Amino acid sequence: MAILAIESSCDETSAAVVKGSKVLSNIISSQYFHSKYGGVVPELASRAHLESISGIVTEALEKASLHMKEIEAIAVTSEPGLIGSLIVGSNFAKGISLKYGLPIIPVNHIEGHIYSGGLQDSSVTFPHISLVVSGGHTSIFLVSSYSKYKVIGSTRDDAAGEAFDKIAKILGFPYPGGPEIDKISKKGDPNSYDFPRSMINSQNFDFSFSGLKTSVRYYLEKNFPDGVPDDLIADVAASVQQAIVDVLVSKTVKAAKEYLPDSNRNVIVIAGGVSANSELRRKMSSEAAKFNIRTVAPELEYSMDNAAMIAFIAEKRAFYNTDYDYFDLTFKVNSSHLRAKRK
Ligand code: KG4
Ligand code: ZN
């Protein structure tokens, strides 16, 4: 089935065409201008989506060498995300559905990330563990099939990406600071400062990152009241990154050991913006390998916010819910996080 998908839940406008699980195009336009405001400004994000969405969809069709008439279904992110941004994408998708008489499949954005391992690597089987780690989410999922997964653990406060961004801001890096910390950490010693690894030994699979931010701030204010000297910034950044990565890896590997059957085909998928972090990729791969568990980290175009992951899960699920009316254009967008655990 040829599916055209649209993703506009935050600050990326994206359109993709996927056919038979093969990505024919995946166009992503990032709204870099938010950087000067220190974070995403929702109203500006929706306006920018509105300006670019038509061109992005046209580009996705052109790159896939398909005409709209050859598309068989539309998929669109309907939740969670910024409400104005979601409305732009879903209304555009509804318009196309109406004009071409196509079924429309609303998709949960987090589910797109959860299943992105299979998009990258078709040998990813079930069950597997997915760590979805971004600016808004940090959760571990046990994924049993294309329609069945459950949350094993989640952050109780800040998402890991939020922690990267807030601490980067304290260190004077521009938004989003995660990639900046990753870059400068390569020049630093991760053992220079012993920042807390909150909940690393707790019996559950939950996370907490807000204490790390507070601890870094207090430490720096006390020891460097005039600001961190330039020659120490890389050491501080590397130590912060290590603290975040250590907890993510420890909990995810522990979840995989507990929940996955003991076989050679066990897989951990890491997805979402923070999965681009080089130390997270390195350490997850090496720690998981000790237990014969393979780590799959989708390429950047499939790990950041993108429409290919939305098309992929829509195609896998297409019409599995026979009670649902796929020509219903009255479905609403929803800004809040994952509502229910799919059983
Ligand atoms: O998934 P994403 O593009 O957007 C959402 O938050 O939904 O994730 C963005 C987050 C930001 O917090 C950003 O700082 C973080 O991912 N990020 C990174 C890296 N690249 C992106 N954090 C650490 N290291 C990176 N290399
Ligand atoms: Zn995302």
Side-chain angles (χ1 to χ4, degrees):
M1 173 180 283
I3 294 200
L4 168 69
I6 292 172
E7 152 68 40
S8 67
S9 62
C10 190
D11 57 345
E12 262 89 28
T13 318
S14 180
V17 178
V18 169
K19 190 175 182 182
S21 300
K22 195 166 176 287
V23 180
L24 303 184
S25 62
N26 185 30
I27 311 296
I28 305 167
S29 162
S30 297
Q31 303 174 356
Y32 295 111
F33 64 82
H34 294 290
S35 179
K36 63 174 177 282
Y37 304 106
V40 177
V41 183
E43 179 58 24
L44 297 182
S46 352
R47 286 169 193 236
H49 284 305
L50 205 52
E51 272 172 28
S52 62
I53 195 158
S54 176
I56 299 286
V57 168
T58 304
E59 212 179 319
L61 288 165
E62 276 172 12
K63 181 134 189 251
S65 301
L66 287 184
H67 187 268
M68 237 353 271
K69 290 190 180 120
E70 294 166 281
I71 297 292
E72 292 158 275
I74 309 291
V76 65
T77 304
S78 60
E79 61 178 355
L82 300 172
I83 197 78
S85 295
L86 288 167
I87 287 173
V88 174
S90 77
N91 280 358
F92 196 87
K94 287 176 183 181
I96 300 177
S97 160
L98 197 61
K99 176 163 183 206
Y100 293 93
L102 293 173
I104 182 164
I105 308 166
V107 176
N108 179 298
H109 176 84
I110 306 304
E111 292 181 3
H113 282 307
I114 291 174
Y115 291 97
S116 63
L119 177 62
Q120 170 73 33
D121 179 343
S122 56
S123 72
V124 172
T125 49
F126 301 112
H128 68 257
I129 291 286
S130 280
L131 169 70
V132 177
V133 64
S134 71
H137 310 277
T138 302
S139 297
I140 301 174
F141 298 90
L142 172 63
V143 192
S144 306
S145 72
Y146 281 117
S147 59
K148 192 175 165 207
Y149 63 84
K150 72 174 180 185
V151 185
I152 303 298
S154 271
T155 183
R156 295 188 176 177
D157 40 57
D158 291 353
E162 209 175 340
F164 268 113
D165 294 342
K166 287 177 175 170
I167 296 170
K169 194 172 176 185
I170 297 172
L171 291 174
F173 291 111
Y175 176 87
E180 306 284 339
I181 291 203
D182 190 356
K183 200 160 55 181
I184 197 167
S185 292
K186 293 189 170 58
K187 295 185 220 150
D189 175 3
N191 300 314
S192 310
Y193 303 94
D194 187 20
F195 294 124
R197 273 92 171 135
S198 300
M199 298 183 74
I200 197 163
N201 293 318
S202 67
Q203 290 309 302
N204 51 43
F205 298 98
D206 287 344
F207 302 97
S208 169
F209 291 107
S210 67
L212 174 63
K213 172 195 63 198
T214 311
S215 158
V216 171
R217 181 185 295 125
Y218 284 160
Y219 183 88
L220 298 182
E221 279 173 5
K222 186 163 167 235
N223 292 281
F224 307 109
D226 300 325
V228 186
D230 284 353
D231 56 336
L232 296 184
I233 287 200
D235 286 343
V236 175
S239 303
V240 165
Q241 173 174 275
Q242 203 60 55
I244 296 173
V245 167
D246 282 355
V247 190
L248 291 173
V249 170
S250 161
K251 293 266 168 145
T252 309
V253 172
K254 196 168 111 186
K257 279 161 59 190
E258 183 160 329
Y259 285 96
L260 296 180
D262 194 16
S263 86
N264 285 342
R265 296 166 71 204
N266 289 339
V267 168
I268 288 173
V269 172
I270 48 175
V274 179
S275 72
N277 184 268
S278 54
E279 176 58 14
L280 178 61
R281 287 178 175 230
R282 187 201 65 76
K283 188 157 183 175
M284 190 73 85
S285 299
S286 68
E287 290 302 307
K290 291 180 186 163
F291 304 97
N292 229 350
I293 299 166
R294 189 160 65 95
T295 300
V296 172
E299 280 167 32
L300 190 60
E301 71 161 315
Y302 301 141
S303 61
M304 66 192 294
D305 289 350
N306 70 92
M309 68 180 189
I310 303 302
F312 178 76
I313 185 61
E315 192 185 25
K316 292 288 180 200
R317 293 242 189 95
F319 317 125
Y320 78 101
N321 182 355
T322 46
D323 293 336
Y324 183 82
D325 177 5
Y326 289 95
F327 289 90
D328 174 20
L329 295 180
T330 64
F331 70 83
K332 293 201 166 49
V333 295
N334 173 31
S335 63
S336 58
H337 287 210
L338 217 55
R339 278 177 303 181
K341 292 180 189 177
R342 189 174 289 267
K343 289 278 157 26

